[in-house]
Amino acid sequence: MKLPIVQQNLSIYIHYPFCKAKCPYCDFNSHVREGINHESFLRAYEKELEFFAQKTGSRKIKTIFFGGGTPSLMPIFLVDGILKKISALWNLDENCEISLEANPTSSEANKFKDLRAIGINRLSMGIQALNDDDLKFLGREHSSKEAISAIEMAQKSFENFSFDLIYARPKQRLEDWSDELKRAINFGTKHLSLYQLTIEKGTKFFSLYQQKKFELPEENLASDFYELTNQITSDAGFGLYEISNYAIYPSSLTRSVEDPRMTSVVKDYRCKHNLVYWQGGDYLGIGAGAHSRIYLNDDEKRQAITMLHEPTAWLKKVEEQGAGIQKIEKISADELLEELILMGLRLESGIEEEKFRAHFLKNFSDIFDFQKLQKLEAQGLLNVEKNRIKIPHSQRILTDAIIKKVCDSLIC
Ligand code: SF4
């Protein structure tokens, strides 16, 4: 198979579509079900992996990510079975990052040790808040005590663990968030995903918000929250490598930070799997509602594949046809270009000419009108280098608007 150089590696995303309860802000493909037949699900995951292995050729697996839903509800035999099947079908890179999203209830935290033993090497926990009132408002199943105990249990088994927090919550003050974030950092994590609360259509929060049952911080305050978040994380040595993702990595720690981590060689704790999405790498999504962006067989066009969302319908289709595909489309060069810009400019490192050349065999000067880009640079909205275009740190809050302007600078 003739593949663009960047696609000779492959990442695999496994979607587990079940949760104990539906959080009021969540618009992910998650379902609350009793009596799930996990043996049938294991057979279906295996079958779908086999189906796609025949079409991908012998590519090296760089990252695997179990997302959801709540993958920490998966029985160990299910996670183990899927990992064994992936190893049997492809070659795993010796440094393959294998992440799993976990919720911090005590029953799930009790599984962390076993998850580490079967090969999970990165844990990403949905902590969301460190106080009980806000956890209750967010509809979470865990208490702050459980969250802290889960973080401590994760520390024992995982050197690489991350957690998510949601901020800019109703009535939250900047000083409350500052205290909470500093407490979070003190747990010693090297990666944090920090999201502002947003209201998505179709969620319970959407109707409550329409009924004015709660208010969100005004735009100016939301931007103050973001600035404060960036400042606190930066003071602690974290780099903002994507709009909402912060990690310790070699260039994130400045010499001015007096940090014991500086005394040893600093590892890169950015999430490799998410970098694959943002840098236009190939990934295969397995499970109900999963998405793929992938070159298959000898096809020169990248494909966008969506799996059936409803878990039972997905299961049935896999049993009958080998894969629960809902839609498969070839991505046109224009669509791919926009996707790469949209995803790449979310990153601190921006978009790189080399990655574009791998897909399109073209230089930046064949793709962008540099005069238009330089105008954006003069307005302080972009940094334009010969081989790299990125959004300056101070303008990250305007990312969506700037991306639109960059797309207006396309000449092909
Ligand atoms: S646990 Fe996560 S996936 Fe499940 S409903 Fe809550 S936010 Fe959504």
Side-chain angles (χ1 to χ4, degrees):
M1 184 177 355
K2 229 174 64 201
L3 283 171
I5 296 158
V6 284
Q7 312 304 357
Q8 286 168 4
N9 298 319
L10 182 63
S11 286
I12 297 183
Y13 172 80
I14 305 287
H15 192 79
Y16 180 74
F18 302 112
C19 290
K20 274 192 190 151
K22 186 81 184 173
C23 301
Y25 57 88
C26 175
D27 68 341
F28 297 151
N29 184 35
S30 65
H31 306 258
V32 180
R33 296 281 156 80
E34 295 292 324
I36 302 156
N37 182 342
H38 284 112
E39 283 79 11
S40 302
F41 271 88
L42 175 57
R43 282 194 296 277
Y45 283 117
E46 289 175 333
K47 212 165 169 184
E48 198 162 71
L49 285 163
E50 282 165 6
F51 179 92
F52 283 104
Q54 290 171 8
K55 300 175 188 298
T56 61
S58 58
R59 293 156 76 177
K60 192 160 256 189
I61 306 300
K62 284 285 197 182
T63 67
I64 302 170
F65 194 102
F66 288 83
T70 310
S72 50
L73 294 175
M74 293 168 89
I76 295 294
F77 81 85
L78 179 55
V79 182
D80 191 36
I82 292 170
L83 288 177
K84 287 197 170 112
K85 179 52 80 176
I86 294 173
S87 312
L89 294 169
W90 290 275
N91 289 324
L92 255 60
D93 186 86
E94 58 177 328
N95 296 316
C96 185
E97 175 191 272
I98 308 178
S99 305
L100 182 136
E101 286 180 339
N103 273 350
T105 65
S106 48
S107 59
E108 288 155 86
N110 283 333
K111 288 186 191 165
F112 291 171
K113 204 169 158 209
D114 290 341
L115 287 168
R116 181 71 193 95
I118 59 166
I120 302 294
N121 55 29
R122 182 176 182 276
L123 198 72
S124 173
M125 283 181 291
I127 300 288
Q128 315 310 5
L130 288 170
N131 74 70
D132 287 333
D133 287 345
D134 285 352
L135 283 170
K136 203 164 161 214
F137 169 76
L138 293 169
R140 302 297 300 192
E141 291 275 298
H142 60 272
S143 63
S144 57
K145 200 168 156 212
E146 273 184 307
I148 292 165
S149 142
I151 294 169
E152 286 164 359
M153 284 171 85
Q155 274 170 329
K156 285 188 195 142
S157 299
F158 292 89
E159 188 262 335
N160 191 356
F161 70 94
S162 166
F163 50 88
D164 296 7
L165 293 172
I166 294 176
Y167 65 99
R169 308 168 204 142
K171 299 197 186 129
Q172 192 180 32
R173 297 173 310 166
L174 287 168
E175 51 270 39
D176 301 332
W177 172 234
S178 168
D179 289 348
E180 197 170 330
L181 181 54
K182 285 176 187 163
R183 274 175 69 207
I185 288 171
N186 282 339
F187 287 115
T189 178
K190 317 273 190 341
H191 187 284
L192 284 162
S193 298
L194 306 172
Y195 303 103
Q196 294 212 10
L197 179 61
T198 52
I199 306 298
E200 307 297 338
K201 266 195 181 153
T203 62
K204 192 171 164 196
F205 268 1
F206 187 77
S207 40
L208 291 175
Y209 186 65
Q210 302 278 67
Q211 294 163 33
K212 302 202 183 317
K213 292 279 165 61
F214 64 86
E215 286 177 8
L216 290 180
E218 288 167 10
E219 205 173 304
N220 283 348
L221 188 56
S223 134
D224 290 347
F225 267 106
Y226 191 60
E227 286 308 318
L228 178 68
T229 305
N230 294 347
Q231 191 56 54
I232 294 173
T233 48
S234 160
D235 290 348
F238 285 77
L240 169 61
Y241 72 101
E242 190 268 350
I243 301 171
S244 310
N245 284 281
Y246 303 77
I248 304 286
Y249 50 97
S251 58
S252 77
L253 290 171
T254 58
R255 294 285 150 189
S256 61
V257 178
E258 275 191 32
D259 191 311
R261 290 167 295 192
M262 291 301 296
T263 54
S264 55
V265 177
V266 178
K267 269 177 60 178
D268 187 346
Y269 288 94
R270 289 175 291 184
C271 175
K272 291 194 192 103
H273 186 84
N274 285 340
L275 283 171
V276 168
Y277 297 152
W278 297 319
Q279 294 180 329
D282 256 21
Y283 57 92
L284 172 64
I286 296 290
H291 297 265
S292 306
R293 288 283 185 282
I294 190 164
Y295 288 90
L296 292 175
N297 293 329
D298 293 331
D299 211 316
E300 286 189 357
K301 283 211 169 130
R302 208 172 186 217
Q303 321 239 12
I305 307 171
T306 311
M307 299 300 173
L308 288 168
H309 279 63
E310 206 287 310
T312 318
W314 171 80
L315 190 74
K316 191 164 174 282
K317 195 159 183 190
V318 178
E319 281 166 356
E320 290 167 2
Q321 298 182 21
I325 297 171
Q326 180 185 59
K327 204 162 72 177
I328 179 157
E329 290 171 312
K330 289 189 177 160
I331 304 174
S332 71
D334 287 352
E335 286 164 340
L336 179 57
L337 193 52
E338 282 203 13
E339 254 184 42
L340 293 180
I341 295 171
L342 203 86
M343 301 302 270
L345 284 179
R346 295 170 63 99
L347 292 170
E348 183 203 33
S349 52
I351 49 177
E352 293 164 52
E353 185 171 54
E354 184 196 330
K355 300 253 161 56
F356 277 56
R357 210 183 288 125
H359 283 283
F360 305 110
L361 305 175
K362 285 180 179 176
N363 297 327
F364 269 174
S365 54
D366 305 316
I367 295 176
F368 295 105
D369 177 340
F370 264 71
Q371 279 188 347
K372 285 191 181 167
L373 292 182
Q374 275 149 3
K375 270 192 196 157
L376 295 176
E377 187 171 39
Q379 293 164 28
L381 299 176
L382 270 191
N383 286 341
V384 183
E385 296 161 18
K386 191 167 173 287
N387 304 319
R388 184 186 298 279
I389 299 168
K390 59 184 189 178
I391 297 179
H393 207 276
S394 58
Q395 306 294 337
R396 297 302 290 274
I397 193 98
L398 300 174
T399 297
D400 289 347
I402 298 174
I403 287 174
K404 209 165 162 291
K405 289 176 195 283
V406 172
C407 288
D408 290 341
S409 310
L410 290 170
I411 51 175
C412 62

